[in-house]
Amino acid sequence: MKLTGNTILITGGGSGIGRGLAEVLHGLGNTVIVAGRRRDVLDQVAAANPGIEVVELDIADPDSITKAAEQVLNAHPDLNVLLNNAGIMLPDDAASPLDEATMTAQVTTNLLGTIRTTSAFIEHLERQPDATILYNTSTLAFTPLAQFAVYSATKAALHSYALSQRFLLRNTGVKVQEIVPPWVATGLVGGDEGQAMPVEDFIAQVIEELATDSEEIVVEQARTFRDNAGPGEHAFVTESNAYMADLLKE
Ligand SMILES: NC(=O)c1ccc[n+]([C@@H]2O[C@H](COP(=O)([O-])OP(=O)(O)OC[C@H]3O[C@@H](n4cnc5c(N)ncnc54)[C@H](OP(=O)(O)O)[C@@H]3O)[C@@H](O)[C@H]2O)c1
C-alpha cells in the first residue's frame, strides 16, 4: 500500500503493535483513527500525537461495530485503509475440557469480531479508488503454540478468511494484506524474557514491507514459523512446542 495520504482506521490502536503503527503512519502523513475499548488509553495516544483521532469500539459487540463504523465513515468519508489489529490471547489447555468463557471470548474477538468489522466497512472500501484491508494474524496461525490452542486456531482461521477475501476482491481497488508477527514485546501475553522482538524494531520492518504490494508482511524473525506448511509440519510443530514448553517452564 502507499504509505502516505491514506485515512486509516486501526483497531486496537491504543497499545502495542497498533499504537506503534498508528504513530508511525501518522508521522508519514496519514490521517489515523485509533479504536478500542479503553477510552483512556486511546486518549493518551491522541494526546501524545496531536491529530490522531479516537473512536470507542468493542469488536466483540456487533452493535458497537455498527455504531463505530457509522461514526468513522460520517467523519471520514475518504477512509481507505482498515487495519484489523485488535485481538486477545488467552492460555488454555487443549488436553482438558476447555473453559467456555476463555474459548468464546477469543473466537468472538479475534475471528468473528475481525470479520464483522471488515464486513461493516467492505462496501465503503470497494467504492474507494485505492483501498487496503490489513489483517494482523500471527506466526501462530502457521505454527500453533500448544498452550494457546484456541488463539492459534483463531489466527489460522483469519489467515484463511483473508485468502478468500483477497481472491474475491482481486478485480477491485481493494488490496488485502496480512501482517504475520512473530513474538513481539507488547502487553499481549507478558512473560517476555528477552526472546520477543522489540516493538519499535518490528514496526520499522513492517512499515518497510507495507510499502510493497506483497500479500504478506513477514519479518525475518517470523519467516521460519510462517514457512512451516508441508509434510514436515508435524515434526516442526512438535519441535518448536518442545522448545517453547522448556522456555515457559523456566
Ligand atoms: N505481541 C505479539 O507477540 C503478537 C504476535 C502475533 C500477533 N499479534 C497480534 O497483534 C495484535 C495486537 O496485539 P499487541 O501485541 O499489540 O497487544 P496489545 O497491546 O494487547 O494490543 C491488543 C489491542 O487490541 C485491543 N482489543 C482487544 N480486544 C478488543 C475488542 N474487543 N474490541 C476492540 N479492541 C480490542 C486492545 O485495546 P482495548 O483493550 O482498549 O480494547 C489493545 O489495544 C493482536 O491481534 C495480536 O494477536 C501479537
Side-chain angles (χ1 to χ4, degrees):
M1 61 178 253
K2 64 184 165 90
L3 285 185
T4 192
N6 301 292
T7 301
I8 308 173
L9 174 66
I10 304 181
T11 68
S15 62
I17 295 170
R19 178 174 179 161
L21 287 171
E23 294 186 330
V24 174
L25 288 166
H26 172 65
L28 287 169
N30 297 283
T31 300
V32 174
I33 308 120
V34 290
R37 294 166 300 178
R38 291 167 298 164
R39 180 74 196 206
D40 56 327
V41 166
L42 298 172
D43 285 342
Q44 282 167 26
V45 178
N49 303 273
I52 288 190
E53 296 182 31
V54 310
V55 63
E56 282 178 46
L57 166 68
D58 179 356
I59 64 165
D61 173 3
D63 291 340
S64 171
I65 294 174
T66 306
K67 194 172 151 209
E70 229 174 78
Q71 204 179 323
V72 169
L73 293 178
N74 280 338
H76 297 284
D78 57 346
L79 183 95
N80 71 322
V81 178
L82 170 64
L83 169 42
N84 285 304
N85 165 76
I88 54 172
M89 180 173 184
L90 305 171
D92 52 32
D93 181 0
S96 302
L98 284 186
D99 175 63
E100 183 66 26
T102 304
M103 178 172 56
T104 309
Q106 292 181 99
V107 175
T108 308
T109 304
N110 298 355
L111 181 59
L112 298 180
T114 303
I115 291 174
R116 285 183 179 127
T117 304
T118 307
S119 177
F121 287 94
I122 189 80
E123 287 179 325
H124 168 84
L125 292 172
E126 284 184 82
R127 286 193 294 271
Q128 306 310 303
D130 177 17
T132 303
I133 300 171
L134 285 151
Y135 292 95
N136 188 351
T137 62
S138 172
T139 49
L140 303 187
F142 305 95
T143 306
L145 180 54
Q147 289 85 353
F148 295 86
V150 173
Y151 172 84
S152 302
T154 63
K155 294 296 187 171
L158 208 50
H159 166 70
S160 167
Y161 189 78
L163 287 173
S164 298
Q165 193 177 54
R166 182 179 298 116
F167 177 78
L168 293 176
L169 292 172
R170 69 196 180 285
N171 296 323
T172 73
V174 188
K175 295 256 171 356
V176 176
Q177 287 184 291
E178 182 176 347
I179 302 173
V180 186
W183 191 2
V184 180
T186 67
L188 187 71
V189 264
D192 169 29
E193 302 295 338
Q195 292 87 359
M197 192 173 177
V199 183
E200 306 70 38
D201 295 357
F202 176 69
I203 300 297
Q205 288 192 39
V206 168
I207 292 289
E208 215 170 278
E209 283 207 44
L210 259 188
T212 70
D213 270 342
S214 83
E215 287 91 356
E216 285 183 8
I217 287 115
V218 183
V219 303
E220 194 49 42
Q221 286 87 330
R223 179 54 65 192
T224 313
F225 299 96
R226 194 283 170 247
D227 288 350
N228 153 53
E233 176 176 19
H234 302 285
F236 183 75
V237 171
T238 302
E239 188 190 317
S240 63
N241 270 288
Y243 171 79
M244 286 306 290
D246 274 353
L247 201 67
L248 295 170
K249 237 185 276 157
E250 280 167 9

